[in-house]
Amino acid sequence: MNRIKIGKFFIYVFLVLLALFCIAPFLIMIVNGTRSTAQIQSGISLLPGNALMDNMQSIMNKNVNMLQAFGNSLFIALSGSLLAAFFSALTAYGFSVYAFKGKKFFISIVIALLLMPPQINIVGFFELCTKLHIVNSYLPLILPSVATASTVFFLIQYVPGVLPMELIECARMEGAGEMYIFCKIGLPLILPGVATMSIFNFVAQWNNYLTPLIILNDERKYTLPLVISKLKGYGFQQDLGAQYLAIAFSVVPILIAYIVFSKFIIRGVSSGAVKE
């Protein structure tokens, strides 16, 4: 018994140290938002500085509208996440429930898209947006979320473990339509997995820098990553304090999303890992 207690003690100590190691970068980021550039360059500190108001004033002096950029990023991230959640769930449901010719081939295409870096098709994507006259709009940033390969692939593995075919067959025998079965039976059962991937999609949309940089040219439509990049400055005149403060400001919604929906991540991963 003593060996077991000692073993548990060391496990708890290790987990606490691991948690502190994970939290440290966020703490340093927040602390650096209250320090000046000279203080940041002097070394790492876990104690807040006295340059918070100066950093805020520096952001305001650079003529960047953080609140407007925050709203733009929030609109794009929420819209893209909702589209990805519904249509990816619908696609994965179709792959899991129906048997049709070419099923394995289309799943292979989904896997191939996972292995393809998004930077490869950025030139063609921009040319397509130009021909469709949707450059400098939010449509190219939101509509591609309808086809999110990573979400579809995860849910293809997840759906069979939580959605019994007997329940679907019973609903069909009662005369329910296919879309009704999906919306009323399938979607609620796979909701933990959908919520899990929606969080990751939200984070990806929120942190997206390359696509908005290429598509948007109106500063009023800029997202937070683009606005933060304007705070960088040039040469040796970088305002590190203002940058850290802006980054800390942008990370707040992500932290809230993880804190509120962390139970869905645990439930979604654990449910999909067990199949009957």
Side-chain angles (χ1 to χ4, degrees):
M1 291 296 294
N2 291 333
R3 290 183 179 180
I4 296 176
K5 291 181 179 180
I6 293 174
K8 286 185 177 181
F9 172 77
F10 282 110
I11 291 175
Y12 289 143
V13 170
F14 172 76
L15 292 176
V16 169
L17 292 176
L18 186 62
L20 293 175
F21 183 76
C22 294
I23 295 173
F26 295 98
L27 179 60
I28 293 172
M29 175 189 63
I30 295 173
V31 169
N32 283 345
T34 65
R35 304 171 71 200
S36 64
T37 300
Q39 291 173 337
I40 294 173
Q41 291 176 339
S42 65
I44 298 176
S45 175
L46 297 179
L47 299 177
N50 55 0
L52 176 62
M53 299 305 298
D54 294 336
N55 293 335
M56 293 180 63
Q57 187 63 40
S58 178
I59 293 175
M60 297 175 62
N61 291 339
K62 287 181 171 59
N63 295 322
V64 294
N65 195 330
M66 293 290 295
L67 291 178
Q68 186 178 52
F70 183 93
N72 296 339
S73 291
L74 189 62
F75 172 72
I76 294 171
L78 285 177
S79 301
S81 300
L82 291 175
L83 284 176
F86 180 80
F87 287 101
S88 296
L90 183 61
T91 304
Y93 175 85
F95 277 126
S96 302
V97 172
Y98 304 112
F100 53 90
K101 284 186 177 181
K103 178 178 177 178
K104 293 184 178 179
F105 172 74
F106 289 114
I107 293 178
S108 299
I109 292 178
V110 173
I111 297 174
L113 292 174
L114 284 174
L115 303 176
M116 185 180 300
Q119 293 81 3
I120 291 178
N121 61 353
I122 195 67
V123 175
F125 179 70
F126 179 76
E127 291 181 355
L128 176 64
C129 294
T130 302
K131 292 180 180 179
L132 294 176
H133 304 288
I134 56 176
V135 176
N136 196 36
S137 71
Y138 294 144
L139 291 178
L141 305 177
I142 297 175
L143 291 182
S145 301
V146 173
T148 307
S150 59
T151 305
V152 173
F153 179 74
F154 174 82
L155 293 178
I156 288 175
Q157 315 302 315
Y158 178 82
V159 171
V162 296
L163 183 60
M165 285 298 300
E166 294 81 4
L167 191 60
I168 297 175
E169 293 296 336
C170 290
R172 288 172 178 169
M173 293 177 63
E174 294 293 331
E178 295 299 324
M179 282 302 297
Y180 180 88
I181 294 174
F182 169 73
C183 294
K184 296 295 184 178
I185 299 176
L187 189 58
L189 288 176
I190 65 176
L191 190 59
V194 175
T196 299
M197 295 308 297
S198 295
I199 295 172
F200 296 130
N201 289 328
F202 178 86
V203 174
Q205 289 273 12
W206 184 267
N207 293 330
N208 190 9
Y209 174 77
L210 180 61
T211 308
L213 178 65
I214 294 173
I215 295 297
L216 302 177
N217 50 49
D218 185 355
E219 293 190 1
R220 293 174 298 179
K221 298 181 179 180
Y222 275 9
T223 58
L224 267 179
L226 297 182
V227 169
I228 292 173
S229 67
K230 292 182 62 178
L231 300 173
K232 184 177 180 180
Y234 302 95
F236 295 99
Q237 298 179 350
Q238 296 189 25
D239 194 343
L240 298 179
Q243 291 181 57
Y244 272 107
L245 182 61
I247 294 172
F249 178 73
S250 69
V251 170
V252 170
I254 299 175
L255 294 178
I256 293 175
Y258 271 113
I259 292 172
V260 174
F261 298 106
S262 59
K263 61 180 181 180
F264 287 105
I265 298 177
I266 299 172
R267 190 190 310 171
V269 174
S270 60
S271 298
V274 180
K275 295 184 180 181
E276 296 181 355

